Amino acid sequence: MERIKTLETRDLTKSVETGCGECQTQQCENAG
Amino acid sequence: MVHQYKLNGCNIVLDTCSGSVHVVDDVAYDIIALYKERGGDGIVSAMLEKYAGRPDVTEADLQECLADVRALEEAGKLYTPDTFENMAFDFKARSNVVKALCLHVAHTCNLNCSYCFASQGKYHGPDAGHGGRALMPFEVGKRALDFLMESSGSRVNLEVDFFGGEPLMNWQVVKDLVAYARSQEAARGKKFRFTLTTNGVLIDDDVIDFVNREMHNVVLSLDGRKEIHDRLRVDLAGRGSYDRIVPRFQELVRRRGGRGYYMRGTFTHANPDFTRDVLHMADLGFDQLSMEPVVCAPGDPAALTEEDLPVVLEQYELLAKEMLKREREGRGFTFYHYMLDLKNGPCIYKRISGCGSGTEYMAVTPWGDLYPCHQFVGEEAYKLGDIWQGVTNTALRDEFKLCNAYARPECAGCWARLYCSGGCAANAYHASGSIRGIYEYGCQLFRKRIECAIMMQAVRASWEEL
């Protein structure tokens, strides 16, 4: 039976690649 | 690092370094807690013993759950190692781009709130010839905007917050500065995002029309219930301001047409039951709300005490539950700290570096002096430079560059460090005397808020399944 449900989240380790600095001093236009 | 907690009927597992969030049942919750300290066989026997009366907990089922946990680990969604720390120490080498300014257009105020960190707009009185009550001249503001555009490198989005004191006491200068910035946008390839914080006393039709046209966000100061608000937010004659400002706020919001705003309150030792004040604001018809703990000297009568802490922590939980209830009833509202976007939230660079105070974000006084942020204004040791010469105290700027999620040894074991970025430098300074100190009281409140915000996301996800 399914005992674990994983919510959809931004992968922080992948975000190392995707730092533009345009976000507000949060939504990120590059998150997807 | 993995953080597990139970709240409002949800079992939540947060994987700190990947950002993954798992909602699990009791069996998986226990398995994940034991996974790193016991082998698979030990876990299976422990679970069979603990859940002996449960027909759904079989050895085969437990092995399947263990396999799921193992798969999540291999996919980088559980027990993810921290590979970010070395990145944090490269931050000193990053560029000196400035992208946001807090313009102190008025170091004066028409209210006399005793808990005001800005000393009713005076910011700790005269120092080095610059202090006390003052209004920012247009020429200083214009030079500040030029400094921002010149210092922003290739950044397109620039932010300017009109702050005080009470910025509406210098209203014509605010309007003139917005007009000047707009006149420069196309030629310089920049986009300004303006915000304004006001106590509401001087709001009139002209203010409403201009703010609703030009301000990306507007922050309206209201502490909640009339008796709470009027206890501390009084004018110079000692009269409460609630009855004067609430109708003006309601009119501004009504005519704002859904654009961003925040009703922003401060709770103190007088109202640790602040959820009642948040709900009061919702009942007044406002639906974008914020309520922040007061930050002041420990001996101040308004300061939150250790006795207040369990009350405040429980209030955050009560608020989250009530918000979910109202959401289901079709009369929901947003609360600043619970607006966590798990899918489109900030990247790891932002999470490590935080607000950028003293580096990409600075405050400008009416005299053109630069400080790391609005909360350092008036602290002469924290003056960075001025808008004509730029940052001259580069050692201080470097200190702020390194002030991040990995700057404090106390944060190394904290699961929330990539949500708070190490916390607020000003709060740390005021609590410990060092910007790399710890404001532990604030940490406890922050962790509870994040737990509540993630729980709310888990509950909403369960609604979508139904």
Side-chain angles (χ1 to χ4, degrees):
Chain A
M1 64 181 291
E2 186 185 44
R3 297 190 182 278
I4 302 173
K5 176 178 171 48
T6 298
L7 303 186
E8 191 179 347
T9 56
R10 182 177 193 182
D11 187 331
L12 296 184
T13 52
K14 287 181 182 166
S15 78
V16 171
E17 305 300 328
T18 60
C20 72
E22 292 289 1
C23 58
Q24 208 173 347
T25 300
Q26 281 283 317
Q27 298 280 315
C28 172
E29 294 175 356
N30 298 321
Chain B
M1 174 184 290
V2 166
H3 175 60
Q4 298 184 231
Y5 65 100
K6 300 188 177 194
L7 181 58
N8 195 25
C10 297
N11 298 344
I12 293 172
V13 178
L14 169 67
D15 188 48
T16 295
C17 291
S18 70
S20 297
V21 176
H22 312 284
V23 185
V24 305
D25 73 355
D26 288 339
V27 175
Y29 190 89
D30 289 343
I31 286 176
I32 289 169
L34 293 171
Y35 184 77
K36 282 296 181 184
E37 59 185 69
R38 290 201 200 178
D41 291 344
I43 292 174
V44 169
S45 59
M47 293 298 101
L48 287 172
E49 183 178 345
K50 178 170 181 177
Y51 295 100
R54 290 259 302 262
D56 62 314
V57 182
T58 64
E59 182 166 355
D61 173 72
L62 291 169
Q63 292 291 0
E64 184 183 336
C65 189
L66 271 169
D68 289 343
V69 171
R70 207 168 290 124
L72 286 170
E73 181 179 26
E74 289 168 0
K77 293 178 181 294
L78 201 56
Y79 311 112
T80 305
D82 188 339
T83 56
F84 306 134
E85 186 163 8
N86 289 337
M87 289 168 51
F89 293 98
D90 292 338
F91 273 44
K92 189 173 178 180
R94 70 181 180 177
S95 74
N96 295 322
V97 157
V98 181
K99 59 167 286 193
L101 289 181
C102 177
L103 289 189
H104 289 226
V105 292
H107 270 200
T108 186
C109 192
N110 43 17
L111 291 185
N112 190 28
C113 313
S114 60
Y115 60 33
C116 180
F117 80 90
S119 308
Q120 297 76 45
K122 299 187 297 294
Y123 283 89
H124 318 301
D127 60 277
H130 289 172
R133 297 191 186 279
L135 298 177
M136 178 182 283
F138 171 75
E139 287 304 322
V140 170
K142 177 174 178 288
R143 174 58 208 153
L145 295 174
D146 286 336
F147 164 76
L148 175 60
M149 289 185 278
E150 292 161 7
S151 307
S152 59
S154 61
R155 301 289 175 86
V156 174
N157 296 321
L158 306 181
E159 296 151 37
V160 175
D161 186 29
F162 294 106
F163 202 63
E166 172 50 47
L168 295 188
M169 294 181 76
N170 200 7
W171 180 231
Q172 189 58 49
V173 165
V174 170
K175 292 199 292 186
D176 292 346
L177 289 173
V178 170
Y180 173 68
R182 295 289 184 226
S183 75
Q184 300 296 305
E185 284 181 313
R188 302 217 204 182
K190 305 292 183 185
K191 291 178 185 169
F192 280 93
R193 187 156 43 187
F194 293 107
T195 55
L196 178 133
T197 301
T198 178
N199 63 31
V201 172
L202 293 176
I203 287 177
D204 58 17
D205 280 343
D206 178 49
V207 169
I208 290 174
D209 289 343
F210 188 86
V211 160
N212 286 348
R213 185 173 67 247
E214 294 288 358
M215 299 294 163
H216 174 76
N217 199 309
V218 57
V219 178
L220 310 170
S221 298
L222 177 68
D223 281 357
R225 291 164 286 178
K226 176 177 164 62
E227 64 271 24
I228 294 296
H229 180 94
D230 280 349
R231 180 194 296 248
L232 295 174
R233 298 190 68 82
V234 298
D235 63 16
L236 301 177
R239 298 171 303 185
S241 54
Y242 180 97
D243 289 335
R244 273 177 284 175
I245 63 171
V246 167
R248 294 171 191 188
F249 286 159
Q250 288 172 317
E251 180 65 7
L252 187 150
V253 168
R254 186 185 69 76
R255 286 157 59 177
R256 195 155 171 79
R259 291 190 74 189
Y261 71 93
Y262 275 108
M263 303 308 301
R264 195 281 193 203
T266 298
F267 68 88
T268 71
H269 180 59
N271 62 323
D273 59 342
F274 67 88
T275 290
R276 296 172 68 183
D277 295 290
V278 175
L279 298 179
H280 176 79
M281 291 197 277
D283 293 340
L284 286 172
F286 301 116
D287 63 0
Q288 298 179 45
L289 312 179
S290 163
M291 182 67 78
E292 303 303 324
V294 69
V295 176
C296 57
D300 191 297
L304 293 165
T305 65
E306 286 302 321
E307 290 71 31
D308 292 330
L309 184 59
V311 177
V312 172
L313 295 176
E314 182 186 41
Q315 288 288 306
Y316 279 122
E317 293 187 11
L318 290 172
L319 176 60
K321 293 171 185 173
E322 179 64 18
M323 286 180 68
L324 289 168
K325 175 175 171 284
R326 292 190 181 209
E327 208 170 303
R328 290 289 265 182
E329 294 168 352
R331 54 191 188 111
F333 60 87
T334 62
F335 179 65
Y336 176 76
H337 288 292
Y338 293 168
M339 295 172 69
L340 204 61
D341 190 331
L342 296 176
K343 282 186 284 193
N344 302 301
C347 68
I348 189 62
Y349 300 97
K350 181 73 174 177
R351 285 169 179 257
I352 291 174
S353 60
C355 62
S357 64
T359 56
E360 61 179 26
Y361 167 67
M362 297 174 193
V364 183
T365 70
W367 305 275
D369 295 330
L370 290 169
Y371 285 87
C373 85
H374 53 291
Q375 288 209 47
F376 285 99
V377 167
E379 302 269 3
E380 190 62 17
Y382 282 88
K383 184 178 163 185
L384 281 163
D386 62 49
I387 54 176
W388 295 276
Q389 299 178 77
V391 174
T392 49
N393 190 347
T394 54
L396 182 62
R397 180 174 59 194
D398 286 347
E399 196 178 339
F400 274 84
K401 279 185 181 178
L402 290 177
C403 192
N404 58 51
Y406 291 92
R408 304 163 180 83
E410 296 93 332
C411 300
C414 179
W415 60 267
R417 66 181 180 275
L418 294 179
Y419 289 89
C420 77
S421 311
C424 169
N427 284 357
Y429 170 65
H430 292 126
S432 72
S434 165
I435 63 171
R436 292 211 208 182
I438 289 288
Y439 175 46
E440 176 56 31
Y441 199 103
C443 294
Q444 294 190 62
L445 302 188
F446 189 94
R447 285 191 286 262
K448 175 58 72 178
R449 292 192 298 248
I450 294 294
E451 286 187 340
C452 289
I454 292 175
M455 176 276 287
M456 294 176 77
Q457 299 280 17
V459 170
R460 291 189 185 107
S462 72
W463 291 347
E464 290 171 8
E465 287 183 342
L466 297 176

